Amino acid sequence: MFIDRQVRGDAVRALGELNDPSAVEPLIQALKDKDRMVRASAAMALGYLGDSRALEPLIQTLKDDEDRLVRTSAAEALGKLNDTRAVEPLIQAFKDECSGVQLYAADALGELNDMRAVELLIQALKDEDSEVRYYAASALGKLNDTRAVEPLMQTLKDENSQVRAGAAVALGYLGDNRAAEPLIQVLKEDDSIQVRTSAAEALGKINDTRAVEPLIQALDDKADQVI
């Protein structure tokens, strides 16, 4: 039994690596395999292939599969298909009981670059799970919508350093000058090297002259990685 499962899993992964359209239908069928690892591998392989025929089967898997690993893989795969028909199902996936599904749904929504996701992701910045907050911040940076600027500025005060760093990076991508002063404050005062480094990089992207002197002062930062 284990050998059969391993062979099916290896076959699914190999099909994904071949980048051959003829693999799409067999991989869609593998989404119904009795083994969860085979189903998850099939979902990932379909994402790599990027064929629109996989859209509806992956959406169905995201909604209905009983295994959280498989649903997580389906969410990640949908982000790779570059088809905005996946946006609403991914938004609904934020109601999933598994935080992993929520994480990859957020990431996928950022990849799809559809503004329908902005308000949901802004709300996710307040999620109790720090990883969800981080992925939401990262996704908002990709969406390039100015509605996210103020919420991301507030997220610079998050209790989790990874989330604060993610918010700083996202603000850099958004390039809005309103973020200059909050990022300067973070550069000067945050106790995390990672967050100060992210703030420095973000200020470089925003290209606001107010950042020049604080960045010069950051050259004296005792940490090795800030500038």
Side-chain angles (χ1 to χ4, degrees):
M1 183 69 71
F2 172 76
I3 294 175
D4 289 346
R5 180 181 65 186
Q6 186 176 31
V7 170
R8 295 199 309 278
D10 289 344
V12 161
R13 285 185 286 274
L15 284 170
E17 292 171 1
L18 289 175
N19 198 27
D20 189 323
S22 66
V24 173
E25 290 299 336
L27 287 170
I28 288 172
Q29 290 303 310
L31 290 174
K32 302 173 184 177
D33 194 276
K34 58 187 177 183
D35 183 79
R36 73 184 191 114
M37 296 303 296
V38 175
R39 299 198 304 277
S41 295
M44 293 299 298
L46 286 166
Y48 291 131
L49 289 174
D51 192 297
S52 61
R53 286 176 289 171
L55 178 71
E56 290 300 332
L58 284 169
I59 289 173
Q60 204 64 34
T61 297
L62 177 63
K63 289 179 179 179
D64 295 339
D65 199 282
E66 63 185 16
D67 187 88
R68 60 186 180 181
L69 174 64
V70 180
R71 298 196 305 278
T72 299
S73 298
E76 185 175 1
L78 284 167
K80 299 181 187 302
L81 293 186
N82 197 29
D83 190 318
T84 57
R85 288 177 292 174
V87 170
E88 288 298 336
L90 286 165
I91 287 173
Q92 291 302 311
F94 259 89
K95 300 175 184 177
D96 197 285
E97 61 186 17
C98 172
S99 62
V101 176
Q102 296 173 24
L103 301 184
Y104 283 99
D107 189 60
L109 288 166
E111 293 296 331
L112 291 173
N113 198 28
D114 190 293
M115 298 305 111
R116 286 174 288 174
V118 171
E119 290 298 336
L120 175 72
L121 291 168
I122 287 173
Q123 289 301 313
L125 292 174
K126 300 176 182 177
D127 194 274
E128 62 182 19
D129 188 310
S130 62
E131 285 195 284
V132 173
R133 300 198 301 276
Y134 170 76
Y135 272 78
S138 297
L140 285 167
K142 297 173 185 176
L143 289 177
N144 198 28
D145 189 302
T146 57
R147 287 176 290 173
V149 173
E150 292 287 345
L152 285 168
M153 285 163 52
Q154 290 300 313
T155 306
L156 292 173
K157 303 173 185 176
D158 194 277
E159 64 183 9
N160 182 280
S161 61
Q162 184 185 29
V163 176
R164 298 197 302 276
V169 170
L171 286 166
Y173 286 133
L174 291 175
D176 193 298
N177 287 348
R178 286 176 290 170
E181 288 296 342
L183 285 168
I184 289 169
Q185 201 71 17
V186 167
L187 178 64
K188 291 179 176 179
E189 299 180 359
D190 200 284
D191 59 6
S192 165
I193 296 171
Q194 179 190 14
V195 178
R196 297 199 303 277
T197 300
S198 298
E201 292 174 355
L203 286 166
K205 289 183 173 70
I206 289 175
N207 196 26
D208 189 303
T209 56
R210 288 173 292 176
V212 174
E213 189 59 34
L215 285 169
I216 291 172
Q217 292 173 4
L219 291 171
D220 294 326
D221 194 297
K222 294 179 181 178
D224 292 337
Q225 300 176 350
V226 175
I227 295 293

